[in-house]
Amino acid sequence: MSLSKPHPPQTHYLPRSPPGNPSSTLSLPPADPPLSPSPAPSPVKISMQEHFAINVCPGPILPIPQISDFFPRFRDFPSTPPPQRERQPEKGKDRDGERDREGEKEREEVEEGETQEVVDSDDDDETYLGTLEFSLLFDQDSNCLHCTIHKAKGLKAMDSNGLADPYVKLHLLPGASKANKLRTKTLKNTLNPVWNETLIYHGITAADMTTKTLRLCVCDMDRLGRNEFIGEVMVALKRLRVGETKKYNMGLERQAQNREINNQNQEQGTPVAEEERGRILVSLLYSAEKQALIVGIVRCAHLAAMDSNGYSDPFVKIILQPDMGKKSKNKTSVKKKTLNPEFNEEFVYEVPHDQLAKKTLEISVWDYDLGMSNDFIGGVELGINAKGERLKHWFECLKYIGKKVEYWHALTQQCAPSSD
């Protein structure tokens, strides 16, 4: 929009008579031929901004600040800084900052009061992470430790929605992490999960109960990233009584506080050279009807990891010595990617009872590798030359004909064959 200013009107003046001839009359100039109309002068244009500035707020017009004035790093050319404005909004910001500081102080005072209340209570000072309810039962007859995870309360929120996706991991310390690892299912979007799930550790002996420590970690599952740690508890298994179920309701603690406990447990615990190789559950039965020895490979527990993924592909080989050819050698199936395989396979050796006392049963556990030589994990020998539990197991098999005798045996490297 533009406005034009009016052009001033044109005026014509008559010429005066010469001074020497006063009586002369005035004469009009001869009429000129009609001229073509002159073009109208161009109107003066002003912008809308100037128009409103003049009519509404007369005075100097300040330039409109651009975004480059507030973010100089986006400016590719040097320019003068924008004019300073009134600092009333900044004063408001200062007031808001003072209010925020006062609010933070109040929050800190409230948090300090809460922590003081927790410290004064019987629970630990980290109970704000949540509590975990579980129960433990040691069955000495089957050498099993039953861990029942009941529920958790008041877990710390780990997700942006103010909730978490919790699950519980169990580890037996000292020992290999993946071989002793058990895990519950994951519950979605809750801070008070209820699992009621029982996890079983096989191959746990009375000696283990005096040296082992159970670690229970509560974590938050994150599909897009790494799972986050919430809290953990530690329980010394020596406090458990055989055949008695003990319930726990413990406050979760931070991981950093328990690293020293883990190191102490590893230093105070017994040597774990044999334990790292794992254990095997073997059953022996001599059948008088078949005149044969029936060897059962039930399962293995806590095997050593031989592959780069932290697991193994285990199988078991059984040889009855002295070697009687192909009849004396047997092999189980291969279990993929596990450190606690369950086989439940039996093998029959036709041997007279009077000759069985002179025999030796060699059992070895291997890790299967495709296209490469198999890796030896550990082995055990049962026979007249054995000692301890191994000799006791062999004698009971010879003594109680027709009765199946099961024993857990620790795998060692002493009976490693020269080749697989």
Side-chain angles (χ1 to χ4, degrees):
M1 178 177 179
S2 62
L3 301 177
S4 59
K5 297 182 180 179
H7 190 73
Q10 296 181 356
T11 56
H12 298 277
Y13 299 91
L14 296 176
R16 296 180 180 179
S17 61
N21 191 9
S23 60
S24 62
T25 60
L26 295 176
S27 62
L28 295 174
D32 296 333
L35 300 176
S36 60
S38 61
S42 60
V44 179
K45 297 181 179 180
I46 61 175
S47 63
M48 181 68 69
Q49 180 181 356
E50 293 177 349
H51 171 70
F52 282 108
I54 294 174
N55 294 340
V56 178
C57 51
I61 302 175
L62 298 178
I64 299 176
Q66 300 179 357
I67 191 169
S68 59
D69 298 333
F70 300 98
F71 300 96
R73 59 193 177 122
F74 293 105
R75 187 189 302 276
D76 296 332
F77 54 89
S79 62
T80 57
Q84 295 183 357
R85 294 189 172 187
E86 298 180 357
R87 297 186 178 180
Q88 293 180 357
E90 295 181 359
K91 293 181 180 179
K93 290 182 180 178
D94 294 339
R95 293 176 182 176
D96 295 339
E98 293 178 358
R99 293 176 183 175
D100 295 340
R101 293 175 184 175
E102 293 177 357
E104 291 179 359
K105 291 182 180 179
E106 293 178 357
R107 293 174 185 174
E108 292 177 357
E109 292 177 358
V110 172
E111 291 178 356
E112 291 178 359
E114 292 178 355
T115 54
Q116 290 178 358
E117 292 177 0
V118 172
V119 172
D120 295 337
S121 62
D122 295 334
D123 298 334
D124 298 335
D125 58 349
E126 299 293 344
T127 50
Y128 68 90
L129 297 175
T131 59
L132 180 64
E133 295 184 14
F134 59 96
S135 60
L136 302 178
L137 170 63
F138 175 59
D139 187 359
Q140 189 173 8
D141 296 335
S142 60
N143 294 104
C144 295
L145 176 63
H146 300 264
C147 308
T148 303
I149 310 300
H150 298 292
K151 59 183 178 180
K153 290 184 179 180
L155 295 180
K156 181 180 178 181
M158 306 300 293
D159 298 337
S160 58
N161 58 0
L163 301 174
D165 302 328
Y167 66 92
V168 182
K169 292 191 304 182
L170 282 72
H171 292 90
L172 275 179
L173 302 176
S177 59
K178 290 189 176 181
N180 296 305
K181 176 182 176 181
L182 296 177
R183 173 175 170 172
T184 66
K185 59 185 178 182
T186 302
L187 301 181
K188 299 289 185 177
N189 297 327
T190 178
L191 299 179
N192 301 284
V194 179
W195 289 282
N196 289 328
E197 187 174 349
T198 301
L199 306 176
I200 302 176
Y201 279 104
H202 296 276
I204 304 299
T205 62
D208 294 332
M209 299 298 293
T210 60
T211 58
K212 295 287 185 179
T213 300
L214 181 63
R215 176 187 180 189
L216 300 93
C217 302
V218 181
C219 302
D220 171 61
M221 182 178 179
D222 190 357
R223 292 183 177 180
L224 301 179
R226 188 176 181 180
N227 296 342
E228 296 179 330
F229 174 83
I230 298 178
E232 67 177 13
V233 295
M234 308 271 290
V235 177
L237 298 182
K238 61 183 179 181
R239 300 178 182 178
L240 291 179
R241 295 181 181 180
V242 178
E244 180 181 352
T245 302
K246 187 173 183 180
K247 296 183 179 180
Y248 296 85
N249 186 5
M250 303 177 63
L252 298 177
E253 301 176 357
R254 292 187 181 274
Q255 187 176 11
Q257 297 180 356
N258 289 326
R259 289 178 181 174
E260 299 179 357
I261 300 177
N262 297 343
N263 296 333
Q264 293 177 1
N265 291 336
Q266 293 180 359
E267 294 176 359
Q268 297 176 0
T270 57
V272 296
E274 294 185 358
E275 184 66 19
E276 290 178 354
R277 296 187 174 274
R279 294 181 177 179
I280 185 170
L281 178 59
V282 181
S283 66
L284 298 179
L285 169 64
Y286 187 81
S287 175
E289 298 177 357
K290 298 180 180 180
Q291 290 293 312
L293 173 66
I294 302 176
V295 180
I297 305 300
V298 183
R299 68 189 311 144
C300 295
H302 321 317
L303 294 180
M306 307 302 292
D307 297 337
S308 58
N309 58 5
Y311 293 95
S312 296
D313 301 326
F315 69 94
V316 183
K317 295 179 63 176
I318 307 100
I319 302 176
L320 187 61
Q321 300 286 2
D323 193 356
M324 298 184 300
K326 294 183 179 180
K327 295 182 179 180
S328 64
K329 297 180 180 180
N330 288 287
K331 185 187 299 184
T332 66
S333 59
V334 179
K335 303 298 181 181
K336 296 290 185 178
K337 196 178 179 181
T338 178
L339 300 178
N340 298 280
E342 185 175 359
F343 298 98
N344 291 323
E345 300 183 24
E346 292 184 347
F347 305 92
V348 180
Y349 294 94
E350 296 180 357
V351 180
H353 187 268
D354 56 352
Q355 296 183 8
L356 189 59
K358 301 177 183 179
K359 300 291 184 178
T360 300
L361 185 65
E362 294 183 356
I363 302 174
S364 57
V365 183
W366 298 81
D367 170 52
Y368 176 77
D369 289 329
L370 181 62
M372 301 174 60
S373 60
N374 300 326
D375 298 325
F376 175 75
I377 298 178
V380 59
E381 289 185 357
L382 304 179
I384 194 65
N385 297 324
K387 297 180 180 180
E389 294 290 328
R390 304 170 187 177
L391 180 60
K392 182 180 179 181
H393 192 189
W394 190 254
F395 275 159
E396 289 185 4
C397 174
L398 298 178
K399 182 178 180 180
Y400 303 104
I401 299 176
K403 179 182 178 181
K404 182 183 291 187
V405 183
E406 290 186 353
Y407 270 81
W408 280 95
H409 298 288
L411 300 176
T412 63
Q413 194 177 6
Q414 296 177 357
C415 56
S418 58
S419 63
D420 57 348

